[in-house]
Amino acid sequence: MTPRRHLRRPVTVSALSAAAIAAGLLIAPAQASADQVRIHDIQGSTRLSPLAGQTVSDVPGVVTGVRTYGSNKGFWLQDPQPDDNPATSEGIFVYTSATPTVKVGDSVTVTGTVDEYYPGGASTGVQSITELGGKPVVTVVSSGNPVPAPVVLDAKDIPDAYAPDAAGANIEPLTLQPKKYALDLFESLEDMNVEVDNARVVGPTDAYSELWVTAKPGQEPTRRGGTVYEGYDNPNSGRIQVQSLIPTAQAAFPQADTGDELTGATTGPLDYNQYGGYTIAANAIGTLKSGGLKPEVTAKQKKDQLALATYNVENLAPGDPDSKYTALAAGVVDNLQSPDIVALEEIQDNDGATDDGVVACDQTVQKFVDAIKAAGGPAYDWRSINPVNDQDGGEPGGNIRQVFLFNPARVSFDDIPGGDSTTAVGVAKDHGQARLTASPGRIDPADSAWTASRKPLVGQFEFQGKRVFVIANHLVAKLGDQGLDSRFQPATQSSMAQRLQQAQVENGFVKQLLAVDKHADVVALGDLNDFQFSPALAQLTDGGVLKDLITTLPVKERYSYDYEGNSEVLDHILTSPALTNAQYDVVHINAEFAHQTSDHDPQVVRVRP
């Protein structure tokens, strides 16, 4: 079991302002009835309890799950006598703060305060959890009672539509429609005992002992067992996170890869958290059945093909264990077949995340180059530009940047002086060909588009007498974006505006190159932190100056990352019109696996300039 990844900061309706209620963000609490209050009375038919902020007495139910770890200790309670309203949940979480003493099967009554708790804080846009808190008084009536039968979540009962469209507004005041929207269905089952059967894993086990399954196995399956994310309007409603309430000494959490299956029943209360939304807090987990997934190996480039790859190596620093360097090197040599040029993202400085002004990365890169050579790969040379300290985002003190590795036996780098962290690279004309004014250089680093973000690194290469321009990217991350399960629908992606600005700047630079030589060979690649259908990618490819190669693959193969059970695209390789013979491959070696060297899959393209 892994503790919650956040400190509990309860936010109750009673503690929020009257202005928020007046604005429709919250529903004003009603007075509790003099009659005995049942759980469905507390839950109500919207996302917020009509009794929020009130003290309720002797609420009856049977304990269906107990959480004894982390900062959110408590237990789940379910009424075995449901009402006839499908919008009202019969389950509730009782927050005890201290380790609860009740057991599954105990019939209890609870007196406590009705709270709406926003895990991670209301400002993040998450939904709330209706809870009983306020130092609840728990009375055990009897023990050994049968637990209410779980609601089976299967494909036919989960709507394809994910959430009501409120034009970005808050959906909390809306009456739940569980037959119409998946988020409403899950909310109507909040804290109730649920079950998924023979569930396919669509998001591998992570470091926090979590995995993702789908209850709709026919929903946008990838050819390797995942669920592909095809558009903002199709978040894939069958995805559900699984955690465990089972002590690790009793049963270790399954180490599952994408495409594996939890055979039999996975059962437990339906929880909610800010790291994935609705989650089965499992009392029983199906038996892990391997799907036999293997890491991919790409084809070797031919003698007259230039192979270029992109690889986000996830905050690589000299202090990382040798095993990480060894595994990354094996990926480059064995799975990527030693590309001629490799654009690396997330190379940290020589002392990693220590924030002491160090910006050089020669030790980091040299350790990686040595590991590649030890793995049987070429003796790569490299080029990069050190950033201004703490100006490029990423882990504080780490000074992540992009780096070009290149095989000097196959390709040469045109060193042109003048490039540094603050000087913009330009385009000149050289005997009818485009030429960089500095190589390596950075694209317009002073532009506000690159505030607290990596600046694109540009290099001029020569391959078999042909000039090739390569742009290594790592656009601003999605930090601050609301989750797909946000209470604001559609969810706001606040980071999108900056990536759009960045794409505009880079598109303008590529247009400069092609204005000098329309036949210029340009490859832009890297972690763009955005989808192939995003406004940023539309802007980057504006005017047909670049083609996003991920769109040339079959839809079911368009992914390089796995987030919350969605197989999605964050990494891209784009080529200019002159490069018409591209052989492109996303090489799946990380994102689908529980044991991964990076959270990104690398990509490679083979071209004949």
Side-chain angles (χ1 to χ4, degrees):
M1 296 178 294
T2 302
R4 299 269 295 240
R5 285 174 277 173
H6 63 280
L7 295 176
R8 182 184 171 84
R9 298 195 296 271
V11 179
T12 66
V13 169
S14 57
L16 294 169
S17 69
I21 295 173
L25 298 178
L26 298 169
I27 298 174
Q31 296 298 316
S33 168
D35 297 330
Q36 184 183 45
V37 174
R38 314 289 294 202
I39 291 173
H40 48 253
D41 298 321
I42 298 170
Q43 286 284 4
S45 59
T46 71
R47 283 175 164 78
L48 296 178
S49 172
L51 304 180
Q54 299 295 307
T55 296
V56 291
S57 300
D58 300 324
V59 178
V62 175
V63 176
T64 60
V66 180
R67 181 156 53 211
T68 60
Y69 59 88
S71 59
N72 199 25
K73 297 181 178 70
F75 63 91
W76 286 269
L77 187 68
Q78 185 166 333
D79 193 334
Q81 299 178 27
D83 66 5
D84 58 0
N85 186 349
T88 56
S89 173
E90 302 296 339
I92 198 164
F93 184 74
V94 181
Y95 172 58
T96 58
S97 181
T99 301
T101 57
V102 297
K103 303 182 297 296
V104 172
D106 283 353
S107 176
V108 305
T109 61
V110 179
T111 297
T113 303
V114 180
D115 289 339
E116 291 291 347
Y117 165 51
Y118 293 87
S123 63
T124 63
V126 296
Q127 297 191 59
S128 66
I129 305 172
T130 303
E131 297 184 344
L132 286 179
K135 298 182 179 180
V137 176
V138 181
T139 301
V140 177
V141 179
S142 62
S143 298
N145 298 282
V147 172
V151 176
V152 178
L153 300 173
D154 59 21
K156 64 179 173 53
D157 294 326
I158 300 176
D160 291 332
Y162 192 62
D165 187 340
N170 189 358
I171 63 174
E172 286 179 324
L174 303 180
T175 299
L176 298 175
Q177 301 182 70
K179 292 186 177 181
K180 191 171 182 180
Y181 303 111
L183 279 189
D184 285 13
L185 172 66
F186 296 146
E187 177 65 19
S188 75
L189 300 172
E190 179 185 68
D191 300 320
M192 289 178 62
N193 199 24
V194 299
E195 176 180 321
V196 290
D197 295 324
N198 301 322
R200 192 179 79 240
V201 175
V202 294
T205 303
D206 64 19
Y208 303 98
S209 293
E210 303 163 341
L211 58 80
W212 286 79
V213 298
T214 181
K216 293 175 77 72
Q219 191 172 56
E220 310 300 344
T222 71
R223 66 180 182 84
R224 288 168 60 86
T227 298
V228 70
Y229 184 45
E230 293 186 20
Y232 297 120
D233 60 345
N234 187 18
N236 293 315
S237 60
R239 299 169 300 110
I240 305 170
Q241 191 181 72
V242 176
Q243 297 178 344
S244 179
L245 297 176
I246 307 167
T248 52
Q250 179 178 333
F253 193 79
Q255 296 299 297
D257 298 331
T258 298
D260 290 352
E261 185 177 312
L262 299 181
T263 62
T266 296
T267 308
L270 188 62
D271 193 19
Y272 178 88
N273 68 71
Q274 79 266 38
Y275 298 108
Y278 291 98
T279 300
I280 299 176
N283 287 311
I285 298 178
T287 302
L288 182 64
K289 178 182 177 182
S290 175
L293 198 68
K294 301 294 184 184
E296 291 186 328
V297 175
T298 196
K300 181 71 175 176
Q301 67 268 31
K302 294 182 171 62
K303 184 177 180 180
D304 62 343
Q305 286 181 315
L306 174 67
L308 306 97
T310 174
Y311 200 172
N312 183 321
V313 292
E314 198 174 8
N315 288 314
L316 188 64
D320 286 336
D322 289 346
S323 58
K324 179 173 182 177
Y325 279 88
T326 299
L328 286 169
V332 170
V333 176
D334 300 328
N335 302 92
L336 295 179
Q337 296 288 297
S338 299
D340 303 308
I341 300 170
V342 183
L344 302 174
E345 299 89 51
E346 293 198 16
I347 291 289
Q348 291 199 349
D349 62 36
N350 287 338
D351 59 7
T354 303
D355 196 359
D356 57 0
V358 170
V359 293
C361 70
D362 54 297
Q363 295 175 29
T364 311
V365 179
Q366 192 58 53
K367 187 173 180 179
F368 191 29
V369 166
D370 290 345
I372 291 172
K373 190 173 181 180
Y380 281 111
D381 201 349
W382 65 279
R383 297 290 187 275
S384 188
I385 292 177
N386 293 328
V388 177
N389 187 48
D390 289 341
Q391 295 300 304
D392 280 17
E395 188 176 14
N399 289 308
I400 56 174
R401 84 293 308 274
Q402 300 89 270
V403 171
F404 289 125
L405 300 185
F406 63 95
N407 181 359
R410 292 262 302 163
V411 67
S412 61
F413 190 88
D414 292 341
D415 287 296
I416 303 172
D420 59 36
S421 59
T422 58
T423 301
V425 64
V427 179
K429 196 167 187 175
D430 176 21
H431 297 92
Q433 281 189 296
R435 176 184 181 276
L436 298 180
T437 59
S439 177
R442 293 177 118 192
I443 296 176
D444 208 358
D447 192 289
S448 61
W450 309 110
T451 300
S453 179
R454 283 69 53 187
K455 289 70 177 171
L457 180 70
V458 188
Q460 184 172 303
F461 292 84
E462 299 285 337
F463 175 73
Q464 297 182 353
K466 301 290 184 64
R467 183 171 295 174
V468 181
F469 302 97
V470 185
I471 306 172
N473 294 278
H474 189 186
L475 302 191
V476 71
K478 290 180 171 289
L479 298 177
D481 289 5
Q482 294 172 351
L484 292 174
D485 55 274
S486 170
R487 69 184 187 276
F488 300 99
Q489 290 293 333
T492 298
Q493 299 185 54
S494 56
S495 66
M496 183 186 292
Q498 187 175 0
R499 281 191 302 280
L500 183 59
Q501 292 175 334
Q502 294 176 338
Q504 289 170 337
V505 174
E506 184 161 330
N507 177 264
F509 179 79
V510 176
K511 285 176 177 174
Q512 290 180 50
L513 282 169
L514 297 184
V516 173
D517 180 5
K518 65 180 181 179
H519 300 296
D521 294 325
V522 184
V523 179
L525 71 176
D527 179 1
L528 302 186
N529 268 314
D530 222 333
F531 313 121
Q532 70 274 25
F533 45 79
S534 67
L537 267 295
Q539 181 58 57
L540 191 55
T541 58
D542 179 66
V545 297
L546 290 171
K547 181 177 184 178
D548 188 5
L549 297 183
I550 195 77
T551 63
T552 67
L553 297 181
V555 171
K556 296 180 186 298
E557 298 180 23
R558 296 178 187 176
Y559 62 95
S560 65
Y561 195 78
D562 192 296
Y563 184 68
E564 296 184 351
N566 270 330
S567 296
E568 61 188 33
V569 178
L570 293 183
D571 310 87
H572 299 255
I573 297 180
L574 305 96
T575 54
S576 61
L579 294 169
T580 60
N581 51 8
Q583 296 178 0
Y584 169 70
D585 192 10
V586 180
V587 187
H588 301 299
I589 62 175
N590 288 316
E592 298 169 311
F593 297 93
H595 302 289
Q596 49 188 229
T597 310
S598 167
D599 50 354
H600 292 252
D601 285 330
Q603 304 181 6
V604 65
V605 64
R606 296 175 291 276
V607 295
R608 291 184 174 89

